[in-house]
């Protein structure tokens, strides 16, 4: 009977989903055995699904990754896990991956695990690039030669300044960050606020202001300003250029234009050397003057000489600040000729070779004393570098914000005077809070683990009192109810009297690191317990050459009277001087120890001679944790008794070799006798075959002529003669049956067929066909298991065995309806067949005799036969490498078993 096993629809359903997943998906047993991998997993690791199933989890995961233990522990506790691991591809390369696992059960309550794996190499590289970009941004801010300020657009408060700003304004950075931009800008408060809003909303980014310095001097400044996000706050950056001299120069130029021709050459020289482009046109739009910078622009655009304003406009690919292409009437010079004045007007020019230039234009009409427009002037500044700097700052700030989120980092600022506490949104996220929840220092204390508050405040205040930065670790009460670990690094800002004004710092989530350290400490404790229980003497020395552990066996073996704890903290040099006397040759022992430490390679099973005739095996093992050297382990195992035993074994081996030689001689004699016996058996089988074959012909003649005699003279002689003739005929028939069976018995080995593949169903079909008449005459019921297996053997001999056993079940049966059953069962060696009946059964004492040749248990008149059938069956089964046996109860029936091993 076969069992129909159907696939679990739950698992098959998962597979149909995962086959379309872009992420690698694995289905595993809890022990890490993989039984399914989707195409994305094959592509990611470079293995086929079958290769992944053979490898298992340990073949694709870096088992040295400490996160592996953490994730397995998490999955064991919670039934799922999520994190990052190092994976290994088929080519041996390693890559970082994000993995999510979940344990589920099928309908039979069998547990499985599915894994989703994503390659995060690009993300890791991006994070590293982000860090580098942030460093460049801060370097750019601090080291820029132009004065730079960060301003709160809501209040005008100066948030930060670079050294160039302090140099220009004459204030220290500490003073500047206390000030408001309104204290510097000479505009009214409302006008300052209005200009900040223009910059904040991108309506304007270039301004001309008058700023007051610390010494009271008022300077003209050109300010480039725009929005930027720093530390989670929306601020304005301002890049300040001192243009006092330039403004004075412009005024001088204007005055000079009204002066006599005597100063005209000087004016032209002055204009020629201005860094910005300067363009003059007459009232008709002809370019009458272009300085060196303007001519450079002219060359880039490949303008011809005698340039007119119309040509300048039509041949330039110019775009306004909103990115739209500029119409001809939008030209600043054309607007100036129409009487309009433009200040710090942004435009973008694309040169014929594709080079892009960002420009800032100021233009105005030139009028005579009668207010008539005589021409126009435009001053153009190349602000390409400034634009790039602004974009770099913007990208850097955005990267910094993303880095804080992804890196589990947050920034805080505590005003000690007001007790106000500012948390960046990224930091409040670490606490599981919405932005703006933390407002005061007391709010923070409520969220800090009560067992850690006093210690944290004491260590922090001690460092601040000594004007030192602090680095602390403490626990917080997360909004989810969990307890998490944070590190706090920062320092204080002091006033001129040395009093603390503010304390700033960053927090980093170190929960995973703390869990890893806890696991490591637990592992070390278990490790030390194992070392303590070892029979070998153990010495563990750290990477900084201090003794960290010795066991009692070590103290005993090296004749040390103190307890193991006494030697903790000893230097390796001190420990060596203590134990050297235990060696048979101390100087040579010390030299070898120094050599081992110098080579720093593992040493295993090195034999060392000790004093008092002792010997030991020494191991030296360098220890690493996360690829970092932790220390070195020395093991000494006493083998003195083993050496004595080896000597005794050597003596025993000599004696044993002699006995083996004697035994081999005996085996040669036995082999010779066995060959003689095989030859004799073969000759005997041949004799039996020849004899039974040669007796066929004379026996046939006796039977034939006796039957002729019976037909001719039956009834013509007396009754005794008729009986004698009958006895001769019956005897001849029995003799023929006996000779046929004897011939079959000898043919089992002398005339065998080659072994082939046999379908046992077809064998039983032939047997049932041969026994059809006998079965019907005796009303026999024959039940055969279907399907029967296919084996390797001799088909005709298998038919003979089953036909004999089934026929015996019918013949030796006293029931009205004999019942015969044929079964087959597979074991680790092959197949076991059984033929059972409900016949007369056999007494236990006769069960071993029935397989002997010519052995009969019943009178031939009751159950005819020669007594050789089961002997033939046994010989056939033995030829197939198996054995035949019987289980029987008188009156109940019999079961004949025989096994057919797998044939190679």
């Amino acid at each position: 009977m076969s069992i129909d096993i159907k696939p679990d629809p739950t698992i098959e359903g998962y597979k149909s989903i995962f086959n379309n997943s872009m992420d690698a998906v694995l289905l595993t047993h809890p022990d890490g055995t993989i039984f399914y991998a989707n195409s994305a997993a094959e592509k990611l690791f470079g293995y086929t699904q079958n290769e992944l199933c053979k490898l298992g989890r340990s073949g694709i995961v870096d088992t040295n990754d400490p996160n592996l233990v953490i994730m397995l522990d998490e999955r064991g506790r919670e039934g799922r896990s999520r994190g990052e691991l190092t994976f290994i591809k088929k080519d041996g390369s390693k890559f970082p991956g994000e993995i999510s696992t979940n344990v589920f059960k099928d309908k039979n309550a069998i547990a499985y695990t599915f894994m989703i794996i994503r390659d995060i190499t690009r993300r890791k590289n991006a994070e590293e690039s982000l860090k580098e970009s942030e460093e460049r941004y801060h370097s750019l801010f601090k080291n820029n030669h132009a004065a730079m300020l960060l301003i709160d657009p809501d209040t005008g408060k100066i948030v930060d300044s670079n050294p160039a700003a302090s140099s220009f304004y004459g204030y220290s950075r500490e003073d500047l960050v206390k000030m408001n931009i309104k204290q510097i800008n000479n505009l009214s408060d409302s006008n300052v606020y209005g200009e900040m809003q223009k910059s904040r909303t991108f309506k304007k980014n270039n301004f001309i202001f008058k700023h007051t310095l610390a010494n009271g001097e008022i300077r003209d400044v050109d300010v480039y300003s725009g929005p930027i996000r720093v530390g989670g706050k929306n601020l304005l950056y301002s890049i300040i250029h001192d243009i006092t001299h330039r403004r004075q120069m412009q005024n001088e130029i204007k005055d000079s234009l009204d002066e006599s021709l005597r100063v005209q050459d000087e004016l032209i020289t002055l204009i020629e050397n201005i860094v910005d482009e300067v363009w003059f046109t007459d009232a008709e739009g002809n370019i009458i003057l272009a300085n060196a910078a303007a001519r450079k622009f002219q060359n880039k655009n490949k303008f011809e000489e005698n340039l007119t304003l119309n040509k300048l406009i039509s041949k330039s690919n110019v775009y306004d600040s909103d990115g739209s292409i500029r119409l001809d009437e939008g030209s600043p010079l054309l607007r100036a000729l129409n009487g309009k004045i433009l200040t710090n007007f942004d435009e973008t020019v694309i040169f014929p070779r594709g080079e892009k230039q960002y420009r800032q234009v100021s233009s105005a009409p030139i009028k005579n004393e009668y207010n008539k427009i005589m021409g126009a002037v435009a001053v153009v500044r190349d602000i390409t570098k400034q634009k790039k700097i602004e974009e770099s700052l913007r990208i850097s700030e955005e990267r910094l914000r993303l880095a804080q989120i992804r890196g589990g980092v947050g920034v805080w600022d505590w005003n000690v005077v007001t007790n106000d506490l500012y948390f960046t949104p990224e930091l409040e996220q670490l606490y599981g809070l919405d932005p703006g929840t933390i407002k005061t220092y007391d709010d923070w204390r409520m969220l800090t683990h009560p067992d850690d508050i006093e210690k944290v405040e004491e260590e922090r205040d001690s460092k601040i009192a000594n004007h030192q930065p602090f680095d602390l670790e403490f626990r917080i009460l997360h909004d989810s109810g969990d307890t998490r670990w944070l590190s706090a690094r920062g320092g204080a800002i002091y006033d001129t009297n040395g009093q603390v004004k503010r304390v700033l710092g960053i927090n980093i989530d170190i929960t995973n690191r703390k869990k890893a350290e806890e696991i490591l400490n637990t592992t070390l404790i278990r490790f030390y317990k194992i070392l303590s229980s070892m029979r070998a003497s153990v010495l563990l020395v750290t990477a900084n050459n201090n003794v960290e552990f010795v066991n009692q066996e070590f103290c005993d073996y090296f004749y040390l009277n103190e307890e193991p704890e006494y030697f903790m903290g000893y230097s390796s040099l001190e420990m060596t001087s203590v134990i050297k006397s235990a060696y048979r040759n101390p100087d040579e022992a010390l030299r070898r120890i120094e050599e081992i430490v110098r080579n720093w390679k593992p040493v295993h099973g090195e034999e060392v001679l000790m004093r008092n005739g002792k010997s030991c095996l020494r191991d030296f093992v360098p220890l690493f944790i996360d690829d970092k050297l932790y220390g070195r382990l020395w093991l000494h195992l006493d083998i003195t008794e083993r050496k004595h035993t080896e000597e005794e074994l050597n003596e025993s081996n000599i004696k044993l070799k002699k006995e083996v030689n004697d035994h081999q001689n005996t085996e040669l004699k036995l082999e010779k006798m066995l060959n003689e016996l095989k030859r004799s058996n073969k000759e005997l089988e041949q004799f039996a075959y020849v004899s039974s074959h040669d007796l066929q012909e004379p026996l046939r003649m006796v039977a034939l002529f006796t039957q002729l005699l019976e037909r001719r003279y039956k009834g013509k002689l007396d009754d005794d003669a008729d009986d004698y003739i009958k006895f001769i005929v019956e005897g001849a028939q029995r003799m023929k049956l006996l000779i046929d069976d004897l011939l079959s018995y000898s043919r089992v080995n002398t005339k065998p067929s080659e072994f082939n593949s046999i379908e046992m169903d077809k064998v039983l079909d032939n047997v049932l066909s041969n026994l059809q008449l006998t079965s019907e005459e005796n009303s026999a019921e024959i039940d055969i298991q279907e399907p029967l297996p296919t084996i390797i053997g001799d088909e005709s001999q298998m038919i003979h065995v089953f036909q004999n056993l089934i026929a015996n079940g019918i013949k030796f049966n006293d029931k009205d309806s004999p019942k015969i059953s044929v079964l087959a069962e597979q074991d680790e060696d092959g197949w076991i067949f059984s033929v059972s009946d409900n016949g007369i059964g056999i007494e236990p004492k006769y069960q071993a005799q029935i397989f002997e040749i010519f052995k009969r248990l019943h009178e031939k008149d009751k159950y005819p036969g020669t007594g050789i059938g089961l002997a033939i069956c046994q010989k056939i089964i033995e030829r197939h490498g198996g054995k035949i046996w019987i289980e029987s109860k008188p009156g109940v029936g019999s079961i004949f078993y025989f096994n057919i091993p797998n044939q190679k």
Side-chain angles (χ1 to χ4, degrees), residues 734-753:
R734 288 197 301 275
M735 178 63 75
K736 184 177 185 307
L737 288 175
L738 186 62
I739 291 173
D740 287 342
D741 286 346
L742 183 61
L743 188 60
S744 296
Y745 182 80
S746 64
R747 281 176 173 173
V748 171
N749 288 327
T750 57
K751 297 290 184 178
S753 299

Side-chain angles (χ1 to χ4, degrees), residues 327-345:
L327 301 177
D328 291 348
E329 59 268 21
S331 168
L333 278 173
L334 188 58
R335 292 185 186 184
L337 289 175
N338 291 324
K340 292 183 180 180
I341 298 175
L342 297 178
T343 303
N344 297 331
F345 184 77

Side-chain angles (χ1 to χ4, degrees), residues 171-185:
Y171 294 104
S172 67
R173 180 185 175 278
E174 288 74 18
D175 290 332
L176 280 172
V177 296
K178 298 176 189 176
M179 299 174 65
N180 194 294
I181 191 62
K182 299 172 185 177
Q183 297 173 255
I184 295 176
N185 198 317

